[in-house]
Amino acid sequence: GSGTSLDYGALSDSTIFNAQSTNGSLSAAFEHRPNSVWSYRINHEWSRYNATNIDLAAFSFQNSLMDGQQNAGSFQNDFYFGRHRILAGLDWRLESINYADSWAPVTGSNSALGGSFAQWMADLDPLTLCASARLEGDGLRVPVGTFHLSAAWQHVSGFRISASGGTGFKAPTLYQRYLPMYGNPALLPENSISFDATVGYIRTNAFRLGATYFHQVFTNQIDFLMLGYINSASTRMQGVEFEAHVSPDPRWSAGLTYTFLDARDSVTGL
């Protein structure tokens, strides 16, 4: 699922600006553990960004400027029960942007994202289990639920098997929805389903060998065409990745990775 980690936010999909800068950012966090069973953490981040310098070779805008700011925060609880850990909380992100150029007046847009999450983890040596769920909404549509499951087993000899699977959700950015002339307020959130499985062998830091199979399906992907942003058809990606790493001496190491990827449009098959 998606989270509240700070990035360029509303400007993260700005492909026509060739300069981005951070005007300022502030963050604060408070963490407390009243007893051996429970701890909690409150976090808040504020940042402001701007984007300037249009690529005139590709677009004919002049003297264009976009700036945005966001407030993101979370409240997280951790509960410890022996080898089990339960995590639960809330997070949110408030975002705003202003856009102006010589063709359009100053326009402003705002968005709010909020979610609740929970996660269970168990260290049952040699087995590790994890399950998480999230409910997220943007105030415009029915909240969307996502989940993720994973399991890993490792033998004392170094042989390891792991697998994970789940769903994902990403709301359209303000830039994609409200950019003058090209934005699309009717954009749907992107959704995904993924699965992966790994078989490997680990011998401390000296030798590592593994093979991973992965399969992902994306729906309502957001693409940019000549007339603006749209939701395109679904895409399927699958493949296998092989990895080998050797480091017989701390002073040097060598590694090799090979990935076979098959990506296709689920409608056309291309």
Side-chain angles (χ1 to χ4, degrees):
S2 58
T4 59
S5 58
L6 284 177
D7 50 25
Y8 277 106
L11 309 181
S12 60
D13 293 277
S14 175
T15 57
I16 63 173
F17 291 94
N18 59 27
Q20 291 181 326
S21 62
T22 303
N23 289 335
S25 62
L26 295 172
S27 64
F30 174 77
E31 186 171 357
H32 182 52
R33 186 165 184 169
N35 50 58
S36 61
V37 176
W38 172 48
S39 69
Y40 64 90
R41 177 183 176 86
I42 302 173
N43 180 73
H44 183 79
E45 298 179 73
W46 172 89
S47 59
R48 181 172 182 175
Y49 300 93
N50 63 46
T52 57
N53 299 334
I54 297 295
D55 184 359
L56 298 179
F59 290 82
S60 58
F61 296 145
Q62 294 182 358
N63 301 322
S64 297
L65 171 67
M66 175 178 283
D67 69 88
Q69 69 175 9
Q70 61 178 327
N71 286 277
S74 64
F75 174 64
Q76 177 178 310
N77 295 275
D78 292 83
F79 301 93
Y80 306 88
F81 304 99
R83 295 188 173 186
H84 300 263
R85 178 185 177 189
I86 297 176
L87 180 155
L90 305 169
D91 55 27
W92 57 89
R93 184 169 72 185
L94 306 176
E95 201 166 15
S96 64
I97 60 171
N98 290 294
Y99 179 91
D101 64 36
S102 56
W103 288 8
V106 176
T107 58
S109 303
N110 300 277
S111 72
L113 290 173
S116 58
F117 55 89
Q119 185 179 62
W120 166 75
M121 294 168 283
D123 183 6
L124 310 175
D125 189 24
L127 181 65
T128 302
L129 301 174
C130 181
S132 61
R134 178 177 177 82
L135 186 65
E136 181 170 346
D138 59 4
L140 300 177
R141 303 172 181 86
V142 176
V144 176
T146 57
F147 73 91
H148 189 265
L149 304 173
S150 66
W153 177 84
Q154 182 166 335
H155 191 263
V156 292
S157 64
F159 181 70
R160 176 183 173 88
I161 301 176
S162 64
S164 68
T167 59
F169 164 87
K170 180 184 178 183
T173 66
L174 286 175
Y175 183 88
Q176 294 168 332
R177 290 166 54 192
Y178 298 116
L179 175 67
M181 299 178 61
Y182 296 101
N184 182 358
L187 284 174
L188 298 174
E190 296 178 314
N191 296 279
S192 66
I193 300 176
S194 63
F195 169 80
D196 64 80
T198 300
V199 177
Y201 177 79
I202 301 175
R203 188 69 173 178
T204 63
N205 293 325
F207 182 73
R208 183 171 70 248
L209 182 68
T212 300
Y213 168 78
F214 57 89
H215 183 94
Q216 298 174 304
V217 177
F218 302 90
T219 57
N220 296 327
Q221 276 190 297
I222 298 176
D223 291 329
F224 182 82
L225 299 181
M226 291 300 295
L227 298 179
Y229 286 98
I230 64 167
N231 286 110
S232 64
S234 61
T235 303
R236 186 263 296 161
M237 298 175 58
Q238 63 181 3
V240 180
E241 182 173 278
F242 300 94
E243 176 193 18
H245 179 86
V246 59
S247 180
D249 188 280
R251 293 172 296 179
W252 68 275
S253 63
L256 176 65
T257 301
Y258 171 79
T259 302
F260 170 78
L261 176 64
D262 178 26
R264 297 181 183 272
D265 186 299
S266 300
V267 176
T268 65
L270 300 177

